[in-house]
Amino acid sequence: MFLDLHRLNIRKTRLLLAMAVTSTVLLTACNDTQGSGDTVAAEDLTVFAGCYTVSHDEPAQIKVSQQDGAWIMQMKEPANASRVWDDPEPLELIENSDIPQFFSIDPDNVDAVIGRPDRVLVLAHVRPVYANIDPLLDSEYLSYIYRGANTIYRVECDEVNTDVLANPHADIVIDNVNSADQRVGDNVVSEIRVVHEDSQ
């Protein structure tokens, strides 16, 4: 009877040891899969390939694409230019930990960020699940363009020059006010006036 109990204990010990080893292997495999999946998702910048505009009813103004394995951006040239897109500017991956410098969104809700090295332009792709439940977002894309953050819309690319400043802001003229009493500190106060075509 003692021998039977001893054999039973050995079998239990082996079974427990086998279960522990199997659990460890499975947990390690799961962790490896999740880690590599996060890395791929974080570095998958193809979500940015395409054209963007700041309003739904405007033509494309920014184009993001890959050129010789590197990511670039181009701005649309004005209507009187001899080409549609300006010279390419390089883009680089931005770490999620840097997101608070540009956007007021929890970095966990963003799956990729790309921007110019000078950070004049930064684009973020919001996780679709979060974009669908946040009433303040009507796009999965956020843009930070020279110190201002807003949603930006992905649109079809086109090869038509558009004078982005033609409407409605073309009639706004900014004149410097040079009188000494118009200075505030070291800043020159500007006078903004609207010029209508029929008054010129």
Side-chain angles (χ1 to χ4, degrees):
M1 179 160 176
F2 176 73
L3 189 58
D4 289 337
L5 284 175
H6 181 66
R7 286 183 184 160
L8 183 61
N9 283 338
I10 290 175
R11 286 183 186 160
K12 285 182 182 178
T13 304
R14 286 182 183 166
L15 180 62
L16 288 173
L17 184 60
M19 288 174 54
V21 169
T22 304
S23 297
T24 303
V25 169
L26 289 175
L27 288 174
T28 303
C30 288
N31 286 339
D32 287 347
T33 303
Q34 289 173 350
S36 64
D38 289 344
T39 303
V40 171
E43 295 177 0
D44 182 13
L45 301 179
T46 58
V47 295
F48 294 112
C51 290
Y52 301 88
T53 185
V54 294
S55 176
H56 283 296
D57 57 352
E58 293 180 1
Q61 298 167 353
I62 300 170
K63 180 164 70 171
V64 175
S65 59
Q66 236 180 340
Q67 187 178 74
D68 299 325
W71 287 94
I72 59 163
M73 65 143 302
Q74 293 172 277
M75 297 290 294
K76 189 163 275 188
E77 292 277 16
N80 60 355
S82 61
R83 60 186 182 173
V84 178
W85 299 101
D86 70 357
D87 294 330
E89 292 286 339
L91 295 172
E92 61 188 17
L93 177 70
I94 297 175
E95 297 297 324
N96 275 25
S97 59
D98 294 334
I99 289 174
Q101 295 177 37
F102 310 106
F103 307 108
S104 58
I105 187 172
D106 184 341
D108 290 340
N109 295 321
V110 175
D111 58 15
V113 186
I114 194 171
R116 284 178 35 166
D118 61 7
R119 301 304 188 252
V120 169
L121 172 79
V122 176
L123 295 176
H125 183 254
V126 178
R127 295 181 192 277
V129 172
Y130 183 76
N132 289 337
I133 62 169
D134 187 332
L136 299 177
L137 294 177
D138 59 350
S139 170
E140 292 178 14
Y141 295 92
L142 298 175
S143 66
Y144 173 89
I145 302 174
Y146 193 66
R147 300 184 185 175
N150 208 338
T151 53
I152 194 166
Y153 306 95
R154 191 170 178 179
V155 295
E156 291 295 320
C157 292
D158 61 70
E159 297 300 318
V160 178
N161 292 71
T162 303
D163 195 349
V164 175
L165 298 178
N167 284 317
H169 305 293
D171 294 337
I172 296 177
V173 176
I174 300 176
D175 289 337
N176 286 333
V177 178
N178 293 323
S179 67
D181 58 320
Q182 293 291 334
R183 289 183 167 272
V184 178
D186 292 330
N187 298 323
V188 175
V189 177
S190 295
E191 175 184 298
I192 300 176
R193 56 190 170 87
V194 176
V195 178
H196 297 283
E197 289 181 16
D198 54 355
S199 65
Q200 291 182 342

